[in-house]
Structure formats: structure tokens, C-alpha cells
Amino acid sequence: MSKNQGVVKPEAVMEALSKVQDPELKKDLVSLGMIKDLTVEGSKVSLRVELTTPACPLREKIERDVREAVLGVQGVEEADVQMGSRVPRGSMGPQNLNADLHNVIAVASGKGGVGKTTVAVNIAVALARSGACVGLLDADIYGPNVPTMLGLDQLPPAREKKLVPAEVHGVKVMSIAFLVQPGQPLIWRGPMLHSVIQQFITDVDWGELDWLIIDSPPGTGDEPLSIAQLIPATGAVVVTTPQEVSLMDSRKAVVFALKLNLKVMGIIENMSGMVCPHCGKRIDLFKEGGGNKAALELGIPFLGKIPLDPQIVISGDEGKPFVASQPESEASKAFMKIVENIMKGKAH
Ligand SMILES: Nc1ncnc2c1ncn2[C@@H]1O[C@H](COP(=O)(O)OP(=O)(O)O)[C@@H](O)[C@H]1O
Ligand SMILES: [Mg+2]
Ligand SMILES: [Zn+2]
């Protein structure tokens, strides 16, 4: 009989673990890179599960599932499972790619169409109007429309091998849209997309910024996750609309941000009530305040609500950020208030 018979192969253990899902991220632990230091000695398997947040409420369930999967592999008699969590960003990790970017805030949403780009653009301009040095990075590969909303169509010439961001309303802007021909589909995948996103941080002459606002891809699926992992954000704000369906998606977006070790600065409720086109006063429509309720439930700040204002659509289409073109409007005041709240809770 061969001596090796019955020997447990690490690959077999990995294979079994690739069937264990993170209940929140709905992805298996192996693809999430959460399995570390796997060793096999005879019939004993040792490994560490690296959670993305130390406060993971599902820690025990994950530990049980892992243990069960490992013990289910033929030949395994003992499973030594250590639960740990990733070293928080700040001491290591991608944010050290550029020490001059002081607060990197991802604007996220559970799905598209909730006004994520509108919020990112107006927050960036509002921060610049309050005197901060601000950059805006459009990393939404599905709909890179930051340049359109700011009336920009190209970058200035590159300088010393670095891309120079376009600048408007005091905001330095970089977008994936600048790097492709108009009308050309975005078919970047995998490594190419990843290297472009990384270049946005390392090869762009941002200078020193108080705030870098990122319009990130919508949703909480695999692709947004892999892009988010490349972006050295320190905080996130989540944009929602008041409807229950949108709120459900936003809760997922909050969990997503927490998993990335981001400080969730809070929730913004967009298209909340409406500004009367005749008198400029706010009218309450439908149900409101869902964002506030969701924030309370999740124990994160509520940053404020922005009413629906038909003028916002027009300004966006014309490439004029609303907070700059109509600073006295209700919606612009709402943006300024939100920015104050963000500044109060800033990452550092
Ligand atoms: N508060 C608002 N009032 C009126 N229109 C809005 C408001 N917020 C966003 N919009 C409009 O809704 C559409 C979608 O917004 P956008 O920012 O592109 O969403 P997302 O980036 O989430 O897909 C745009 O036409 C935008 O002008
Ligand atoms: Mg958008
Ligand atoms: Zn009115």
C-alpha cells in the first residue's frame, strides 16, 4: 500500500471551502481571499479565516460552516480554525499609494439611477466652494458621466508621464470616459480595467487633496467589489431614494462598504420630496424619511435629504453643477448641509 494513501490534499480542502459562502457578500470564502495559512499535517487541517471586518455578526456561522466543510473532506479528522480580521486600512494597504490624498470618499449606491453621480458631482463642487482642495474620480465603468455633468470633454496634456486632471469649479476631475473614444464601448475586463483604475491613483497628478470623491460603480456584485478593492477609499457615503426597494439595496451597499473596511460616513436620501417649479417650496411626495430610518437601523449617520428638482436634470444635462449654478435653491442648501455633515464626520 502506498504511504500516501489517505493523505489530505490542501487542494481538496480549498475545493470544499470554495462551497462555503459569506452570507452577506454571497460569495465564497476562497474567491473572497479570506482563507489564509492553510496547512495539512496528517489528518489535521489548520487554517485562518480572515474576515473583512472584526465586528462581523456572522462570524460564528462562518466558523461553523468552515469547520463543517473541512471535516467533510475525506481523511480529515481534526480542524483547527482560527478566526481573525484584516489589519484595518491606515497601517497598511492601498491608501498609502498616495499620502497626499487625505480623505478618499466613495459615493456608493445599491443600484443605478438613484442620483449617485449627481450627488458625487455636487458634493465635490460644494466642498470646493467651502474652500477645500477637491478631486473627483469617476470610476463608474458602467456609466462614466461625470464629465458630461461638468461640461468637460478632455484632459489637459499629460505632464512628466502623469495624467493631469481636468479642472472646473475648483474640482480636479479624472474619468474613465476621458480615456476612451466617444461612442466606443467599454469592453475592458479583468487586468486591463484593474490597471486603469490603479493608474487613476498612482499616475494622476492630483497634487495634495483634502478630499477625493469617487463615483463608484453601482451595486454590490462581483465587479463593483473587485473595483472597490482597487480604490484606496477611507470612507463611503451611500445614496438611496426613499422607496423601500431602493432602501433594501442601500442596506446591502452599507454592508458592502463595511466589508471593505470603509468608514461609512452616512446615508443620503435623494429625490426626497419635490421642489415646486412655480414657487420653489418643498412639496412632500410619497413616503419619505426611509433613509433616516435605514441609517438608524444600521447605526450610521443620516447625512440629509435632497429634494427632486427638475432644474437638477437640466443642470446635469448642460454640464453645470447645480450647487454652483443655483446656490440659493432648496436642493443646493441641502447639498451644503450634507457637506457640512460629511466634514464633521471626516475620516481623519
Ligand atoms: N434630486 C434630483 N432631482 C431631480 N433629478 C435628479 C435628482 N438627482 C438626480 N437626478 C436626475 O436623475 C437622473 C439619474 O441621476 P444620476 O446622478 O445619473 O444617477 P446614477 O449615477 O445613480 O445612475 C439624472 O438625469 C439626474 O439629473
Ligand atoms: Mg452615475
Ligand atoms: Zn408651489
Side-chain angles (χ1 to χ4, degrees):
M1 232 206 259
S2 145
K3 226 171 99 193
N4 280 342
Q5 203 189 21
V7 162
V8 179
K9 289 213 180 74
E11 302 87 78
V13 178
M14 284 308 251
E15 166 72 25
L17 288 169
S18 71
K19 298 195 176 86
V20 179
Q21 282 214 331
D22 178 306
E24 276 170 313
L25 289 177
K26 307 262 186 280
K27 248 185 112 172
D28 73 89
L29 305 189
V30 175
S31 328
L32 286 166
M34 287 162 72
I35 306 296
K36 306 282 175 190
D37 304 337
L38 175 79
T39 56
V40 179
E41 290 166 74
S43 60
K44 178 179 173 183
V45 173
S46 310
L47 61 90
R48 195 158 54 83
V49 179
E50 195 182 72
L51 300 170
T52 43
T53 151
C56 179
L58 298 155
R59 190 186 175 109
E60 266 137 50
K61 172 166 172 41
I62 295 175
E63 185 173 354
R64 250 191 338 265
D65 291 351
V66 166
R67 200 174 290 281
E68 199 174 298
V70 172
L71 290 170
V73 176
Q74 202 179 11
V76 177
E77 274 159 20
E78 200 185 335
D80 175 13
V81 178
Q82 303 287 327
M83 302 296 284
S85 56
R86 193 184 292 172
V87 180
R89 292 174 185 224
S91 52
M92 57 184 286
Q95 93 282 21
N96 285 346
L97 283 173
N98 190 334
D100 284 343
L101 306 179
H102 296 289
N103 292 282
V104 182
I105 307 296
V107 181
S109 67
K111 60 174 172 136
V114 299
K116 182 170 53 63
T117 303
T118 303
V119 168
V121 163
N122 283 288
I123 282 181
V125 174
L127 281 165
R129 286 172 74 86
S130 75
C133 294
V134 184
L136 175 57
L137 169 56
D138 181 3
D140 185 349
I141 54 152
Y142 307 107
N145 38 28
V146 165
T148 309
M149 286 201 191
L150 284 169
L152 296 168
D153 57 12
Q154 60 181 14
L155 293 175
R159 211 185 308 139
E160 283 159 20
K161 291 193 185 150
K162 285 211 165 196
L163 291 170
V164 178
E167 197 163 341
V168 70
H169 297 285
V171 177
K172 292 179 178 169
V173 184
M174 180 55 65
S175 170
I176 209 149
F178 291 136
L179 306 179
V180 290
Q181 301 301 317
Q184 184 184 305
L186 281 167
I187 47 162
W188 295 337
R189 296 228 181 280
M192 180 153 178
L193 176 64
H194 287 193
S195 74
V196 168
I197 303 263
Q198 246 153 9
Q199 277 176 11
F200 278 157
I201 306 298
T202 52
D203 298 345
V204 172
D205 187 4
W206 290 110
E208 189 166 350
L209 297 180
D210 298 312
W211 299 91
L212 177 62
I213 304 298
I214 296 169
D215 189 9
S216 33
T220 52
D222 291 356
E223 185 96 42
L225 181 69
S226 66
I227 292 169
Q229 282 166 337
L230 297 170
I231 295 173
T234 47
V237 297
V238 172
V239 182
T240 185
T241 56
Q243 299 87 345
E244 191 53 42
V245 276
S246 174
L247 289 166
M248 270 159 53
D249 288 329
S250 319
R251 290 186 187 100
K252 278 191 220 152
V254 168
V255 171
F256 180 87
L258 289 172
K259 289 270 174 179
L260 286 159
N261 280 330
L262 301 181
K263 172 173 179 169
V264 181
M265 318 281 296
I267 290 188
I268 297 170
E269 186 174 306
N270 188 29
M271 310 196 195
S272 167
M274 184 178 163
V275 170
C276 173
H278 308 292
C279 65
K281 289 218 177 80
R282 241 186 87 99
I283 312 165
D284 285 347
L285 290 175
F286 316 122
K287 192 171 68 172
E288 277 180 52
N292 201 353
K293 207 178 117 215
L296 267 175
E297 259 173 45
L298 294 160
I300 57 172
F302 180 64
L303 295 169
K305 42 188 183 179
I306 304 151
L308 243 163
D309 184 337
Q311 289 296 320
I312 290 185
V313 183
I314 298 168
S315 339
D317 289 351
E318 288 180 347
K320 296 178 184 141
F322 192 70
V323 291
S325 62
Q326 306 208 23
E328 294 310 316
S329 65
E330 283 277 324
S332 290
K333 286 181 192 154
F335 276 120
M336 293 309 293
K337 184 88 200 135
I338 286 169
V339 158
E340 273 170 37
N341 287 334
I342 291 176
M343 289 195 285
K344 272 189 239 151
K346 72 178 174 183
H348 63 265

PDB file of all heavy atoms in Angstrom, residues 224-251:
ATOM      1  N   PRO A 224     -18.338  45.430  -9.038  1.00  0.00           N
ATOM      2  CA  PRO A 224     -18.114  46.577  -8.158  1.00  0.00           C
ATOM      3  C   PRO A 224     -17.190  46.240  -6.994  1.00  0.00           C
ATOM      4  O   PRO A 224     -16.373  47.066  -6.597  1.00  0.00           O
ATOM      5  CB  PRO A 224     -19.507  46.928  -7.618  1.00  0.00           C
ATOM      6  CG  PRO A 224     -20.472  46.245  -8.491  1.00  0.00           C
ATOM      7  CD  PRO A 224     -19.767  45.147  -9.224  1.00  0.00           C
ATOM      8  N   LEU A 225     -17.272  45.012  -6.500  1.00  0.00           N
ATOM      9  CA  LEU A 225     -16.407  44.630  -5.377  1.00  0.00           C
ATOM     10  C   LEU A 225     -14.944  44.637  -5.801  1.00  0.00           C
ATOM     11  O   LEU A 225     -14.085  45.200  -5.129  1.00  0.00           O
ATOM     12  CB  LEU A 225     -16.784  43.257  -4.829  1.00  0.00           C
ATOM     13  CG  LEU A 225     -15.957  42.772  -3.637  1.00  0.00           C
ATOM     14  CD1 LEU A 225     -16.250  43.607  -2.390  1.00  0.00           C
ATOM     15  CD2 LEU A 225     -16.202  41.302  -3.348  1.00  0.00           C
ATOM     16  N   SER A 226     -14.660  44.046  -6.974  1.00  0.00           N
ATOM     17  CA  SER A 226     -13.250  43.970  -7.356  1.00  0.00           C
ATOM     18  C   SER A 226     -12.715  45.364  -7.695  1.00  0.00           C
ATOM     19  O   SER A 226     -11.549  45.652  -7.463  1.00  0.00           O
ATOM     20  CB  SER A 226     -13.027  42.976  -8.489  1.00  0.00           C
ATOM     21  OG  SER A 226     -13.642  43.424  -9.650  1.00  0.00           O
ATOM     22  N   ILE A 227     -13.565  46.233  -8.208  1.00  0.00           N
ATOM     23  CA  ILE A 227     -13.103  47.606  -8.474  1.00  0.00           C
ATOM     24  C   ILE A 227     -12.900  48.353  -7.161  1.00  0.00           C
ATOM     25  O   ILE A 227     -11.878  48.997  -6.953  1.00  0.00           O
ATOM     26  CB  ILE A 227     -14.093  48.338  -9.394  1.00  0.00           C
ATOM     27  CG1 ILE A 227     -14.046  47.691 -10.775  1.00  0.00           C
ATOM     28  CG2 ILE A 227     -13.756  49.831  -9.484  1.00  0.00           C
ATOM     29  CD1 ILE A 227     -15.132  48.138 -11.699  1.00  0.00           C
ATOM     30  N   ALA A 228     -13.872  48.200  -6.268  1.00  0.00           N
ATOM     31  CA  ALA A 228     -13.778  48.901  -4.978  1.00  0.00           C
ATOM     32  C   ALA A 228     -12.505  48.512  -4.235  1.00  0.00           C
ATOM     33  O   ALA A 228     -11.897  49.334  -3.558  1.00  0.00           O
ATOM     34  CB  ALA A 228     -15.008  48.596  -4.127  1.00  0.00           C
ATOM     35  N   GLN A 229     -12.084  47.254  -4.396  1.00  0.00           N
ATOM     36  CA  GLN A 229     -10.874  46.802  -3.699  1.00  0.00           C
ATOM     37  C   GLN A 229      -9.604  47.483  -4.206  1.00  0.00           C
ATOM     38  O   GLN A 229      -8.592  47.504  -3.533  1.00  0.00           O
ATOM     39  CB  GLN A 229     -10.734  45.280  -3.811  1.00  0.00           C
ATOM     40  CG  GLN A 229     -11.659  44.570  -2.831  1.00  0.00           C
ATOM     41  CD  GLN A 229     -11.821  43.094  -3.121  1.00  0.00           C
ATOM     42  OE1 GLN A 229     -11.607  42.655  -4.251  1.00  0.00           O
ATOM     43  NE2 GLN A 229     -12.216  42.335  -2.134  1.00  0.00           N
ATOM     44  N   LEU A 230      -9.695  48.025  -5.424  1.00  0.00           N
ATOM     45  CA  LEU A 230      -8.511  48.688  -6.002  1.00  0.00           C
ATOM     46  C   LEU A 230      -8.434  50.158  -5.625  1.00  0.00           C
ATOM     47  O   LEU A 230      -7.433  50.812  -5.837  1.00  0.00           O
ATOM     48  CB  LEU A 230      -8.564  48.600  -7.532  1.00  0.00           C
ATOM     49  CG  LEU A 230      -8.513  47.214  -8.131  1.00  0.00           C
ATOM     50  CD1 LEU A 230      -8.816  47.291  -9.620  1.00  0.00           C
ATOM     51  CD2 LEU A 230      -7.143  46.606  -7.894  1.00  0.00           C
ATOM     52  N   ILE A 231      -9.533  50.677  -5.117  1.00  0.00           N
ATOM     53  CA  ILE A 231      -9.589  52.104  -4.836  1.00  0.00           C
ATOM     54  C   ILE A 231      -9.269  52.342  -3.367  1.00  0.00           C
ATOM     55  O   ILE A 231      -9.860  51.723  -2.496  1.00  0.00           O
ATOM     56  CB  ILE A 231     -10.979  52.665  -5.210  1.00  0.00           C
ATOM     57  CG1 ILE A 231     -11.178  52.537  -6.719  1.00  0.00           C
ATOM     58  CG2 ILE A 231     -11.108  54.118  -4.774  1.00  0.00           C
ATOM     59  CD1 ILE A 231     -12.559  52.904  -7.185  1.00  0.00           C
ATOM     60  N   PRO A 232      -8.332  53.223  -3.109  1.00  0.00           N
ATOM     61  CA  PRO A 232      -7.887  53.398  -1.731  1.00  0.00           C
ATOM     62  C   PRO A 232      -8.809  54.306  -0.923  1.00  0.00           C
ATOM     63  O   PRO A 232      -8.374  55.267  -0.312  1.00  0.00           O
ATOM     64  CB  PRO A 232      -6.515  54.057  -1.913  1.00  0.00           C
ATOM     65  CG  PRO A 232      -6.657  54.851  -3.167  1.00  0.00           C
ATOM     66  CD  PRO A 232      -7.587  54.072  -4.053  1.00  0.00           C
ATOM     67  N   ALA A 233     -10.100  53.995  -0.935  1.00  0.00           N
ATOM     68  CA  ALA A 233     -11.026  54.853  -0.204  1.00  0.00           C
ATOM     69  C   ALA A 233     -10.887  54.630   1.298  1.00  0.00           C
ATOM     70  O   ALA A 233     -10.496  53.552   1.754  1.00  0.00           O
ATOM     71  CB  ALA A 233     -12.454  54.580  -0.644  1.00  0.00           C
ATOM     72  N   THR A 234     -11.183  55.667   2.072  1.00  0.00           N
ATOM     73  CA  THR A 234     -11.187  55.527   3.520  1.00  0.00           C
ATOM     74  C   THR A 234     -12.612  55.588   4.057  1.00  0.00           C
ATOM     75  O   THR A 234     -12.896  55.105   5.136  1.00  0.00           O
ATOM     76  CB  THR A 234     -10.353  56.644   4.182  1.00  0.00           C
ATOM     77  OG1 THR A 234     -10.735  57.893   3.597  1.00  0.00           O
ATOM     78  CG2 THR A 234      -8.877  56.432   3.937  1.00  0.00           C
ATOM     79  N   GLY A 235     -13.497  56.217   3.287  1.00  0.00           N
ATOM     80  CA  GLY A 235     -14.873  56.346   3.738  1.00  0.00           C
ATOM     81  C   GLY A 235     -15.843  56.169   2.577  1.00  0.00           C
ATOM     82  O   GLY A 235     -15.446  56.134   1.417  1.00  0.00           O
ATOM     83  N   ALA A 236     -17.120  56.023   2.930  1.00  0.00           N
ATOM     84  CA  ALA A 236     -18.137  55.871   1.898  1.00  0.00           C
ATOM     85  C   ALA A 236     -19.400  56.602   2.314  1.00  0.00           C
ATOM     86  O   ALA A 236     -19.708  56.683   3.507  1.00  0.00           O
ATOM     87  CB  ALA A 236     -18.449  54.400   1.674  1.00  0.00           C
ATOM     88  N   VAL A 237     -20.099  57.146   1.334  1.00  0.00           N
ATOM     89  CA  VAL A 237     -21.463  57.599   1.591  1.00  0.00           C
ATOM     90  C   VAL A 237     -22.368  56.809   0.657  1.00  0.00           C
ATOM     91  O   VAL A 237     -21.974  56.468  -0.453  1.00  0.00           O
ATOM     92  CB  VAL A 237     -21.667  59.128   1.363  1.00  0.00           C
ATOM     93  CG1 VAL A 237     -20.827  59.937   2.323  1.00  0.00           C
ATOM     94  CG2 VAL A 237     -21.367  59.529  -0.064  1.00  0.00           C
ATOM     95  N   VAL A 238     -23.547  56.474   1.136  1.00  0.00           N
ATOM     96  CA  VAL A 238     -24.461  55.658   0.349  1.00  0.00           C
ATOM     97  C   VAL A 238     -25.666  56.513  -0.048  1.00  0.00           C
ATOM     98  O   VAL A 238     -26.278  57.164   0.799  1.00  0.00           O
ATOM     99  CB  VAL A 238     -24.904  54.412   1.143  1.00  0.00           C
ATOM    100  CG1 VAL A 238     -26.002  53.662   0.410  1.00  0.00           C
ATOM    101  CG2 VAL A 238     -23.709  53.500   1.401  1.00  0.00           C
ATOM    102  N   VAL A 239     -25.959  56.521  -1.345  1.00  0.00           N
ATOM    103  CA  VAL A 239     -27.098  57.290  -1.849  1.00  0.00           C
ATOM    104  C   VAL A 239     -28.282  56.359  -2.050  1.00  0.00           C
ATOM    105  O   VAL A 239     -28.134  55.275  -2.622  1.00  0.00           O
ATOM    106  CB  VAL A 239     -26.761  57.974  -3.198  1.00  0.00           C
ATOM    107  CG1 VAL A 239     -27.932  58.809  -3.688  1.00  0.00           C
ATOM    108  CG2 VAL A 239     -25.504  58.827  -3.066  1.00  0.00           C
ATOM    109  N   THR A 240     -29.431  56.797  -1.572  1.00  0.00           N
ATOM    110  CA  THR A 240     -30.641  55.994  -1.746  1.00  0.00           C
ATOM    111  C   THR A 240     -31.783  56.903  -2.193  1.00  0.00           C
ATOM    112  O   THR A 240     -31.668  58.124  -2.108  1.00  0.00           O
ATOM    113  CB  THR A 240     -31.015  55.293  -0.417  1.00  0.00           C
ATOM    114  OG1 THR A 240     -32.124  54.419  -0.640  1.00  0.00           O
ATOM    115  CG2 THR A 240     -31.400  56.289   0.660  1.00  0.00           C
ATOM    116  N   THR A 241     -32.838  56.327  -2.697  1.00  0.00           N
ATOM    117  CA  THR A 241     -34.081  57.079  -2.877  1.00  0.00           C
ATOM    118  C   THR A 241     -35.042  56.553  -1.810  1.00  0.00           C
ATOM    119  O   THR A 241     -34.777  55.519  -1.199  1.00  0.00           O
ATOM    120  CB  THR A 241     -34.655  56.907  -4.307  1.00  0.00           C
ATOM    121  OG1 THR A 241     -34.836  55.520  -4.567  1.00  0.00           O
ATOM    122  CG2 THR A 241     -33.716  57.482  -5.360  1.00  0.00           C
ATOM    123  N   PRO A 242     -36.149  57.274  -1.566  1.00  0.00           N
ATOM    124  CA  PRO A 242     -36.969  56.903  -0.401  1.00  0.00           C
ATOM    125  C   PRO A 242     -37.737  55.581  -0.523  1.00  0.00           C
ATOM    126  O   PRO A 242     -38.165  55.047   0.494  1.00  0.00           O
ATOM    127  CB  PRO A 242     -37.976  58.059  -0.285  1.00  0.00           C
ATOM    128  CG  PRO A 242     -37.536  59.115  -1.218  1.00  0.00           C
ATOM    129  CD  PRO A 242     -36.627  58.502  -2.212  1.00  0.00           C
ATOM    130  N   GLN A 243     -37.909  55.058  -1.723  1.00  0.00           N
ATOM    131  CA  GLN A 243     -38.730  53.850  -1.865  1.00  0.00           C
ATOM    132  C   GLN A 243     -38.100  52.647  -1.168  1.00  0.00           C
ATOM    133  O   GLN A 243     -36.889  52.488  -1.160  1.00  0.00           O
ATOM    134  CB  GLN A 243     -38.921  53.475  -3.351  1.00  0.00           C
ATOM    135  CG  GLN A 243     -39.608  54.521  -4.168  1.00  0.00           C
ATOM    136  CD  GLN A 243     -38.629  55.542  -4.713  1.00  0.00           C
ATOM    137  OE1 GLN A 243     -37.494  55.620  -4.274  1.00  0.00           O
ATOM    138  NE2 GLN A 243     -39.081  56.356  -5.653  1.00  0.00           N
ATOM    139  N   GLU A 244     -38.945  51.784  -0.642  1.00  0.00           N
ATOM    140  CA  GLU A 244     -38.486  50.622   0.116  1.00  0.00           C
ATOM    141  C   GLU A 244     -37.513  49.749  -0.695  1.00  0.00           C
ATOM    142  O   GLU A 244     -36.506  49.283  -0.181  1.00  0.00           O
ATOM    143  CB  GLU A 244     -39.686  49.792   0.592  1.00  0.00           C
ATOM    144  CG  GLU A 244     -39.352  48.707   1.608  1.00  0.00           C
ATOM    145  CD  GLU A 244     -38.573  49.210   2.838  1.00  0.00           C
ATOM    146  OE1 GLU A 244     -38.900  50.296   3.364  1.00  0.00           O
ATOM    147  OE2 GLU A 244     -37.636  48.519   3.245  1.00  0.00           O
ATOM    148  N   VAL A 245     -37.788  49.565  -1.994  1.00  0.00           N
ATOM    149  CA  VAL A 245     -36.894  48.714  -2.806  1.00  0.00           C
ATOM    150  C   VAL A 245     -35.485  49.292  -2.854  1.00  0.00           C
ATOM    151  O   VAL A 245     -34.492  48.576  -2.781  1.00  0.00           O
ATOM    152  CB  VAL A 245     -37.383  48.536  -4.268  1.00  0.00           C
ATOM    153  CG1 VAL A 245     -38.386  47.425  -4.355  1.00  0.00           C
ATOM    154  CG2 VAL A 245     -37.918  49.818  -4.859  1.00  0.00           C
ATOM    155  N   SER A 246     -35.420  50.604  -2.961  1.00  0.00           N
ATOM    156  CA  SER A 246     -34.122  51.246  -3.013  1.00  0.00           C
ATOM    157  C   SER A 246     -33.426  51.147  -1.662  1.00  0.00           C
ATOM    158  O   SER A 246     -32.216  50.922  -1.577  1.00  0.00           O
ATOM    159  CB  SER A 246     -34.304  52.705  -3.422  1.00  0.00           C
ATOM    160  OG  SER A 246     -33.086  53.389  -3.360  1.00  0.00           O
ATOM    161  N   LEU A 247     -34.228  51.279  -0.593  1.00  0.00           N
ATOM    162  CA  LEU A 247     -33.653  51.183   0.746  1.00  0.00           C
ATOM    163  C   LEU A 247     -33.039  49.818   1.008  1.00  0.00           C
ATOM    164  O   LEU A 247     -31.988  49.704   1.619  1.00  0.00           O
ATOM    165  CB  LEU A 247     -34.727  51.481   1.792  1.00  0.00           C
ATOM    166  CG  LEU A 247     -35.143  52.947   1.829  1.00  0.00           C
ATOM    167  CD1 LEU A 247     -36.427  53.115   2.626  1.00  0.00           C
ATOM    168  CD2 LEU A 247     -34.029  53.794   2.414  1.00  0.00           C
ATOM    169  N   MET A 248     -33.699  48.793   0.491  1.00  0.00           N
ATOM    170  CA  MET A 248     -33.158  47.445   0.681  1.00  0.00           C
ATOM    171  C   MET A 248     -31.795  47.326   0.024  1.00  0.00           C
ATOM    172  O   MET A 248     -30.860  46.771   0.589  1.00  0.00           O
ATOM    173  CB  MET A 248     -34.121  46.407   0.102  1.00  0.00           C
ATOM    174  CG  MET A 248     -35.142  45.934   1.120  1.00  0.00           C
ATOM    175  SD  MET A 248     -36.612  45.225   0.367  1.00  0.00           S
ATOM    176  CE  MET A 248     -35.877  44.026  -0.716  1.00  0.00           C
ATOM    177  N   ASP A 249     -31.690  47.871  -1.195  1.00  0.00           N
ATOM    178  CA  ASP A 249     -30.402  47.845  -1.890  1.00  0.00           C
ATOM    179  C   ASP A 249     -29.354  48.660  -1.136  1.00  0.00           C
ATOM    180  O   ASP A 249     -28.175  48.316  -1.139  1.00  0.00           O
ATOM    181  CB  ASP A 249     -30.550  48.410  -3.305  1.00  0.00           C
ATOM    182  CG  ASP A 249     -31.309  47.462  -4.216  1.00  0.00           C
ATOM    183  OD1 ASP A 249     -31.211  46.241  -4.000  1.00  0.00           O
ATOM    184  OD2 ASP A 249     -31.983  47.937  -5.144  1.00  0.00           O
ATOM    185  N   SER A 250     -29.804  49.746  -0.522  1.00  0.00           N
ATOM    186  CA  SER A 250     -28.834  50.589   0.177  1.00  0.00           C
ATOM    187  C   SER A 250     -28.281  49.907   1.413  1.00  0.00           C
ATOM    188  O   SER A 250     -27.125  50.103   1.769  1.00  0.00           O
ATOM    189  CB  SER A 250     -29.467  51.897   0.626  1.00  0.00           C
ATOM    190  OG  SER A 250     -30.290  52.368  -0.363  1.00  0.00           O
ATOM    191  N   ARG A 251     -29.126  49.130   2.068  1.00  0.00           N
ATOM    192  CA  ARG A 251     -28.618  48.377   3.225  1.00  0.00           C
ATOM    193  C   ARG A 251     -27.500  47.463   2.773  1.00  0.00           C
ATOM    194  O   ARG A 251     -26.474  47.335   3.431  1.00  0.00           O
ATOM    195  CB  ARG A 251     -29.747  47.576   3.879  1.00  0.00           C
ATOM    196  CG  ARG A 251     -30.753  48.466   4.592  1.00  0.00           C
ATOM    197  CD  ARG A 251     -31.788  47.633   5.362  1.00  0.00           C
ATOM    198  NE  ARG A 251     -32.812  48.499   5.882  1.00  0.00           N
ATOM    199  CZ  ARG A 251     -34.016  48.677   5.322  1.00  0.00           C
ATOM    200  NH1 ARG A 251     -34.345  48.018   4.219  1.00  0.00           N
ATOM    201  NH2 ARG A 251     -34.891  49.507   5.841  1.00  0.00           N
TER     202      ARG A 251
END
